[in-house]
Amino acid sequence: GVEAFWRNLEGGVESIATFSAEELLEAGLPRDVVLDPRYVRRWGALEDVDRFDPTFFGIAPREALQMDPQQRLFLEVCCEALDDAGMPRASLEGLRAGVFAASYHSDYAQAIYGCRSAIGAHTVTGAAHSVLANRLSYLLDLRGPSVSIDTACSSSLVALHLACQSLRQGE
């Protein structure tokens, strides 16, 4: 959550974790990827990323199993932000409001597509970055632009630029 994030920043807490090959294999990553010496075993990992309540977001549990954690986290963080701002979801329904989401890295998609047995009916929508903004727009029934941006390291900046431009143009 936001409070824990700020506590880590203020306290200088190291949030990067190191994973063993065994842990990565248990997590379902393909063996050839895990055993490749070029594979980086350190990353900023979030705990309990699997603790997602799909029904709260109107998503079928079977579909949620195929969703990239980025999609799950995006929905959770956006709803938390709206709650913190005192804006109930129902008050936004039908508004001419846009969603501009920055998304980068497709390691989840690569892992899923690398394991044929993991591919299912919801793999494409669950792994596609293009769906990120649309999930929130659909959830909130928003009627403005809904755009997912992937411009590598500049994704957030470009998303912010496009959102400002959209506001200026009255979209």
Side-chain angles (χ1 to χ4, degrees), residues 1 6-7 11 20 22 25 39 44 50 74 87 95 117 120-121 133 145 148 159:
W6 282 115
R7 277 195 309 273
S20 69
E22 292 78 27
L25 288 169
Y39 189 78
D50 59 330
F74 181 72
M87 299 177 73
L95 283 182
S117 63
S148 296

Side-chain angles (χ1 to χ4, degrees), residues 68-79:
D68 185 326
Q70 289 182 82
Q71 290 184 18
R72 295 183 224 151
L73 290 167
F74 181 72
L75 288 172
E76 290 174 339
V77 169
C78 288
C79 286

Side-chain angles (χ1 to χ4, degrees), residues 25-171:
L25 288 169
E26 286 176 22
L29 284 155
R31 183 179 255 328
D32 59 327
V33 171
V34 172
L35 298 178
D36 185 334
R38 297 171 294 174
Y39 189 78
V40 176
R41 289 185 170 82
R42 292 179 49 85
W43 55 49
L46 298 173
E47 293 179 10
D48 301 326
V49 73
D50 59 330
R51 301 183 102 197
F52 176 73
D53 180 7
T55 56
F56 178 80
F57 298 101
I59 297 169
R62 285 177 44 181
E63 181 179 0
L65 291 173
Q66 298 262 304
M67 285 173 63
D68 185 326
Q70 289 182 82
Q71 290 184 18
R72 295 183 224 151
L73 290 167
F74 181 72
L75 288 172
E76 290 174 339
V77 169
C78 288
C79 286
E80 274 183 31
L82 292 170
D83 289 345
D84 288 348
M87 299 177 73
R89 285 173 30 184
S91 71
L92 302 172
E93 290 176 4
L95 283 182
R96 288 182 54 218
V99 176
F100 296 83
S103 182
Y104 182 49
H105 285 292
S106 57
D107 43 352
Y108 179 82
Q110 291 170 357
I112 291 294
Y113 291 131
C115 182
R116 288 193 176 171
S117 63
I119 296 174
H122 301 288
T123 300
V124 173
T125 55
H129 290 279
S130 58
V131 178
L132 187 65
N134 304 130
R135 285 198 184 273
L136 185 64
S137 294
Y138 181 78
L139 174 70
L140 300 176
D141 190 28
L142 300 177
R143 306 298 166 96
S146 186
V147 184
S148 296
I149 312 296
D150 180 357
T151 59
C153 297
S154 63
S155 298
S156 295
L157 182 61
V158 173
L160 182 60
H161 168 75
L162 291 175
C164 291
Q165 196 173 42
S166 180
L167 285 170
R168 286 187 194 109
Q169 294 174 1
E171 296 176 330

